[in-house]
Amino acid sequence: MTRIPFAAGATYIVSDDSHFSVLRDITFPQLLVLRLKEFLEALQKEDK
C-alpha cells in the first residue's frame, strides 16, 4: 500500500494513522506525511 503514493508521484500523504510515520524517516523518495490537523493548517495559511 505504501508504494501507491510513490508510484503516483504524490508529494505527501495526509493521515492520522501512526503506521505512516515511518515514512518520515525515509530520505528517498521524499514523501511528506502530514496529520490531518497539519494539512488543514497549511490550507488555511494558503488562503490568507
Side-chain angles (χ1 to χ4, degrees):
M1 183 68 133
T2 57
R3 291 184 225 157
I4 294 170
F6 295 116
T11 304
Y12 52 84
I13 292 177
V14 178
S15 177
D16 285 328
D17 186 335
S18 62
H19 292 97
F20 285 103
S21 65
V22 298
L23 297 176
R24 294 176 188 243
D25 299 328
I26 296 173
T27 57
F28 181 82
Q30 182 66 42
L31 184 66
L32 299 174
V33 179
L34 300 175
R35 295 181 186 260
L36 181 58
K37 182 179 177 183
E38 295 169 326
F39 178 70
L40 293 174
E41 289 171 355
L43 285 179
Q44 288 176 349
K45 287 180 183 178
E46 286 184 9
D47 286 342
K48 291 181 180 182

